[in-house]
Amino acid sequence: MSKIKSAAEVAEFIKDGAVIAVNSSSGLCCPDEVLAAIGARFRDKGGPRGITTIHPIAAGDMFGTKGVDHVAQPGLLSTIIGGSFPSGPSSMEPPLIRQMISDNQVAAYNVPSGIIFDMLREGAALRPGVMTQVGMETFVDPQLEGCAINEAARQKPIVERITFKGQEWLYFNALRPDVSIIRASTADERGNLTFENEGAYIGAMEIALAGRNSGGIVIAQVKRVAQSGTLRPHDVRVPGILVDYVVEAPEQLQTTATPYDPAISGEVFRPLDSFSLPEFDAAKVMARRVAQELKPGWAVNIGFGISANVPRILLEEGRHGEVTWVIEQGAVGGIPLLDFKFGCSSNAECFVASPQLFTYFQAGGFDVSLMSFLQIDRMGSVNVSNLAARPHVTAGAGGFVDITSHAKRIIFSGYFNAGAKLGIADGKVRVDREGRVPKIVEKLDQTSFSGPRAIAEGKEILYVTERCVMKLTSQGLMVTEIAPGIDLQSQILDQAEVPLLVSSSLKEMDGALFQPSMVAELARNKEAA
């Protein structure tokens, strides 16, 4: 019997109450046509009903790939377990899934991406669940929010604290999907899958294993179908023995708003001078300052936001190749892309499955992580995953908690407050209009990173803003560097909701950071340091 089916045909195989695991990262690897068919079947025929969907990383985006929004219909979707969710500017209408979550029409959980992959792996191995210390003293911990996003989820806890051999752990039950939906570039007639046009594998193999070993079905969406026996065995990332059905979707996008770019999939290497460099502004100053902390030979994880510009700073300063960038979707090396194409890299050295990278991250195997922040409290805890007033402007935690829980060094970057009108002239920062929303706050909307736990574990934590650099101490946040042109009292201390410590050896930030054409001097200053 042929494995090749239409999207409408495979949608008929989804039963009421099914648990469905989806492999994607925003538009990257998103099996959008299959998800659309499930949503269309419900609208036309009223089924399936009451499904649960599992997304280690978000399915879909707000820029042309609907993803989970296809199934975000009351009656169809009852529960969602997501490492992240579609997100976008506050000026855009929230995604349908965000509206359902806010209206309490679906029980919604934000579980760190790596932990979700672990839960699926344990389900595939028929083991009971995941025991981890990742996420302790953050929103993941049941002593805080227990991963529940809304009241419907709080009624059905997903994580508990347990004691094992004298230590406290978080425990999550294994996940055993009835249906796994993955995406690749090519399938042969036997269901063997290759990923030659994809920018990552994400967790295709692991999600397929979880579906197969749980007695479920595995559906693969692909761009094309090839004759059996024509795929090179080393190119096959998911074997046909794990795949039940193949859906051909020739028009699938490679990633967010991108039909196809061979540099994303490593088929060609772009010339280095083809990459755009950040314009000179406060964000670039911050990225330059972060870059000063990096040492040759380091493996460096980067997150979305200002940190994503740091690879281009090194490129501009002639330092490309000094460090190796590692992102959770799986690309190692190369130059990570920006904005909502983040998650892909051009010119990558290799692609690694996300679950394997998360094992690396969870144990702190890399040298430093570069992350953004939305809010910081007096003891250095950080919120990056949820703004109560505008929840859809952040995707949720994603891999942030997996990465930061045991990282040896973290550099957070962001604007000191929100809404300020800033300028840089004559090597000095100018605040033309002060921001109205503090980001150094008394109480976080959500705790994504625990400052006290970081201090107890001896981590090195820096916070880089356009006005100053702060470090985490056992007494709290300490200002160690100040930008030229900034007044310590009125433009730093008075703009924080909480008292800040000031170093007795407070110094001015490197003046070359604030000059648009001081690339050579920055490189010399870095070498001298």
Side-chain angles (χ1 to χ4, degrees):
M1 184 177 70
S2 173
K3 292 186 175 184
I4 315 303
K5 304 288 182 184
S6 70
E9 286 176 318
V10 298
E12 295 290 338
F13 302 142
I14 312 296
K15 298 179 180 178
D16 289 353
V19 176
I20 302 173
V22 181
N23 188 54
S24 66
S25 175
S26 297
L28 179 63
C29 288
C30 185
D32 201 56
E33 190 156 327
V34 175
L35 294 173
I38 296 170
R41 179 191 159 202
F42 180 79
R43 285 191 300 273
D44 296 342
K45 301 180 180 179
R49 301 188 64 84
I51 67 171
T52 295
T53 59
I54 302 164
H55 309 271
I57 313 178
D61 52 56
M62 295 174 65
F63 306 93
T65 303
K66 286 188 68 173
V68 68
D69 264 14
H70 288 300
V71 299
Q73 303 177 51
L76 169 56
L77 185 65
S78 66
T79 302
I80 184 167
I81 300 170
S84 52
F85 299 84
S87 63
S90 59
S91 58
M92 295 180 69
E93 187 73 11
L96 296 176
I97 185 60
R98 288 290 194 178
Q99 296 177 40
M100 284 189 72
I101 292 170
S102 296
D103 294 341
N104 226 39
Q105 295 176 314
V106 57
Y109 305 88
N110 187 192
V111 180
S113 296
I115 291 179
I116 297 180
F117 280 125
D118 291 340
M119 295 163 77
L120 290 163
R121 179 200 63 214
E122 297 306 283
L126 302 183
R127 294 189 288 257
V130 176
M131 198 165 63
T132 181
Q133 292 183 332
V134 167
M136 294 187 78
E137 300 178 29
T138 74
F139 76 92
V140 178
D141 196 322
Q143 293 185 352
L144 296 179
E145 299 173 51
C147 299
I149 299 178
N150 59 8
E151 186 57 34
R154 284 187 280 275
Q155 299 304 313
K156 300 181 287 184
I158 199 172
V159 56
E160 59 184 301
R161 263 204 187 227
I162 64 172
T163 302
F164 178 73
K165 292 190 175 181
Q167 284 191 300
E168 291 287 303
W169 299 81
L170 302 182
Y171 177 77
F172 296 81
N173 285 326
L175 292 171
R176 298 187 174 91
D178 303 300
V179 181
S180 289
I181 307 176
I182 63 177
R183 197 188 90 179
S185 298
T186 304
D188 70 9
E189 296 162 298
R190 294 172 61 82
N192 294 300
L193 304 179
T194 61
F195 288 70
E196 64 273 12
N197 299 144
E198 308 304 319
Y201 312 127
I202 316 292
M205 180 66 175
E206 289 75 10
I207 287 177
L209 276 170
R212 164 62 62 220
N213 287 4
S214 299
I217 62 172
V218 178
I219 300 167
Q221 177 183 307
V222 298
K223 195 170 185 178
R224 63 186 73 85
V225 175
Q227 180 181 329
S228 294
T230 60
L231 301 180
R232 295 187 300 178
H234 275 294
D235 293 341
V236 174
R237 304 296 303 190
V238 179
I241 57 172
L242 300 182
V243 177
D244 295 286
Y245 305 109
V246 173
V247 173
E248 194 169 13
E251 302 304 316
Q252 67 185 24
L253 295 178
Q254 187 183 41
T255 188
T256 297
T258 307
Y260 175 58
D261 176 352
I264 287 175
S265 44
E267 296 165 273
V268 301
F269 270 46
R270 285 173 55 182
L272 292 180
D273 62 8
S274 72
F275 291 94
S276 63
L277 300 176
E279 294 183 5
F280 182 70
D281 58 12
K284 183 169 186 173
V285 167
M286 287 184 270
R288 281 176 162 183
R289 177 61 187 86
V290 171
Q292 289 183 323
E293 295 294 318
L294 305 183
K295 296 183 179 180
W298 274 7
V300 182
N301 165 261
I302 60 172
F304 186 77
I306 288 168
S307 301
N309 282 307
V310 178
R312 309 207 177 204
I313 298 297
L314 266 63
L315 182 62
E316 183 179 24
E317 294 178 5
R319 298 169 56 197
H320 176 67
E322 277 191 7
V323 304
T324 301
W325 309 108
V326 187
I327 55 178
E328 65 191 65
Q329 287 79 4
V332 176
I335 299 180
L337 301 185
L338 302 175
D339 301 320
F340 287 90
K341 292 182 184 178
F342 184 80
C344 298
S345 290
S346 289
N347 301 6
E349 295 177 21
C350 67
F351 298 109
V352 178
S354 287
Q356 296 169 11
L357 274 186
F358 277 118
T359 299
Y360 175 63
F361 292 152
Q362 287 175 349
F366 52 98
D367 294 290
V368 66
S369 181
L370 313 182
M371 291 290 181
S372 298
F373 67 83
L374 295 173
Q375 297 171 317
I376 311 171
D377 73 10
R378 69 171 67 219
M379 291 308 298
S381 294
V382 170
N383 171 24
V384 75
S385 47
N386 182 44
L387 280 180
R390 298 180 297 161
H392 79 278
V393 302
T394 174
F400 177 93
V401 178
D402 301 284
I403 292 163
T404 59
S405 285
H406 291 125
K408 298 183 285 288
R409 302 177 191 88
I410 307 170
I411 305 170
F412 294 104
S413 56
Y415 289 96
F416 195 85
N417 60 25
K421 184 179 179 181
L422 302 164
I424 302 175
D426 301 322
K428 296 181 180 180
V429 177
R430 186 183 67 243
V431 181
D432 296 324
R433 186 187 66 230
E434 196 52 82
R436 286 182 259 180
V437 181
K439 296 178 74 173
I440 317 298
V441 298
E442 184 66 46
K443 182 175 173 55
L444 303 176
D445 287 355
Q446 186 170 77
T447 301
S448 319
F449 167 80
S450 170
R453 191 171 181 88
I455 286 293
E457 294 178 353
K459 296 177 181 178
E460 298 177 23
I461 312 296
L462 280 184
Y463 309 83
V464 174
T465 78
E466 82 285 5
R467 306 181 187 204
C468 64
V469 177
M470 298 174 285
K471 73 175 181 179
L472 182 57
T473 74
S474 58
Q475 287 77 43
L477 291 174
M478 176 181 288
V479 180
T480 59
E481 299 177 30
I482 186 169
I486 290 294
D487 180 73
L488 175 64
Q489 186 63 51
S490 65
Q491 294 175 324
I492 295 178
L493 302 182
D494 291 349
Q495 298 303 315
E497 284 188 350
V498 299
L500 299 176
L501 303 171
V502 178
S503 171
S504 59
S505 56
L506 179 68
K507 65 179 183 179
E508 193 168 86
M509 295 170 70
D510 185 348
L513 298 169
F514 303 88
Q515 298 287 349
S517 59
M518 298 292 281
V519 173
E521 185 171 340
L522 278 168
R524 286 196 299 271
N525 292 352
K526 164 66 180 173
E527 188 174 337

